[in-house]
Amino acid sequence: MKRAKIVELFRRLRELDPHPTTELDYTTPFELLVAVILSAQATDVGVNKATRKLFPVANTPQAILDLGEDGLKRYISTIGLFNGKAKNLIATCRILVEQHGAEVPRSREALEALPGVGRKTANVVLNTAFGEPTIAVDTHIFRVSNRTGLARGETVRAVEDALNKVVPDEFRKDAHHWLILHGRYVCKARRPDCPSCAINDLCAYRHKTVTHAA
């Protein structure tokens, strides 16, 4: 996609949603980190239901350590893969307390050293909690980037690298949120709602739908 189209694409997405953000509920960087770890292979809605019960009881690394792994599981058992996530969260909280003064680190290296935190999670925390212009590529962003022709790649990392090259600086901080929300609600996996798409005419997708999705 040529630069003029890319600028117009993000200009339209910004016009629709000038201040996009995550749909995960959080009030501190630590709460965001917990929510993103829990969101792997789970919906934001499901995570929010669990954290609305968890965070009033334990929303600091030490408080979650005090719950213990079994105690934590009682709050997150409705989320997929909760056993492994509970184990990772306890280990992460221990590292935060022992090595980072119970604070979420602001470096990618330190974040990715935490159990349950990969590149995507680190990018989300750096972007959403700390305002860094990182782009976390999930399945929605991977799909939208390839479909539209914005940034094609065969792997998540390839798409991330391509996006970092083509997204203009003025849109970089919010690009992650615009693309994920567009993929979640418009450019859906099984049947994209092309007639309602604000960037339809800029998109290179060859199999556009011609009627509104149900």
Side-chain angles (χ1 to χ4, degrees):
M1 187 179 290
K2 293 184 177 180
R3 180 174 174 80
K5 280 191 172 183
I6 292 172
V7 170
E8 179 62 15
L9 181 152
F10 283 108
R11 187 197 66 77
R12 293 183 193 178
L13 295 179
R14 180 174 63 186
E15 186 174 311
L16 289 172
D17 190 357
H19 305 290
T21 189
T22 180
E23 293 187 318
L24 291 169
D25 294 337
Y26 78 100
T27 58
T28 66
F30 177 70
E31 287 186 357
L32 177 65
L33 175 63
V34 171
V36 179
I37 291 174
L38 293 176
S39 72
Q41 299 184 48
T43 66
D44 287 0
V45 172
V47 172
N48 289 339
K49 286 181 179 178
T51 57
R52 284 186 197 121
K53 296 178 181 178
L54 172 64
F55 288 157
V57 175
N59 71 338
T60 67
Q62 187 60 58
I64 286 184
L65 282 176
D66 292 342
L67 278 180
E69 192 172 324
D70 289 339
L72 177 59
K73 286 180 184 179
R74 288 198 290 271
Y75 289 96
I76 66 171
S77 61
T78 56
I79 299 173
L81 307 176
F82 73 92
N83 285 310
K85 291 175 182 178
K87 182 178 180 179
N88 283 335
L89 274 174
I90 292 294
T92 283
C93 288
R94 186 169 292 111
I95 292 172
L96 292 178
V97 169
E98 294 176 353
Q99 299 180 23
H100 300 287
E103 297 292 331
V104 176
R106 297 187 64 153
S107 77
R108 176 185 301 282
E109 182 180 19
L111 284 168
E112 290 188 20
L114 300 172
V117 177
R119 186 176 181 86
K120 184 185 77 172
T121 297
N123 278 335
V124 172
V125 173
L126 289 170
N127 178 277
T128 306
F130 301 128
E132 299 291 335
T134 55
I135 300 176
V137 178
D138 69 348
T139 55
H140 295 299
I141 295 177
F142 184 83
R143 179 175 65 253
V144 170
S145 297
N146 275 290
R147 267 186 184 168
T148 60
L150 171 63
R152 290 195 170 100
E154 294 185 1
T155 66
V156 166
R157 182 59 188 272
V159 168
E160 180 187 334
D161 290 343
L163 286 169
N164 281 323
K165 290 178 181 178
V166 303
V167 177
D169 288 345
E170 67 173 301
F171 303 112
R172 186 75 61 83
K173 180 178 176 295
D174 293 322
H176 160 80
H177 297 298
W178 284 320
L179 294 174
I180 193 172
L181 292 171
H182 189 69
R184 186 173 289 167
Y185 296 112
V186 181
C187 195
K188 304 170 189 176
R190 299 181 71 178
R191 183 174 173 79
D193 191 5
C194 299
S196 296
C197 178
I199 59 172
N200 188 315
D201 58 313
L202 306 173
C203 173
Y205 187 48
R206 295 180 179 180
H207 307 291
K208 294 177 183 174
T209 56
V210 294
T211 57
H212 289 274

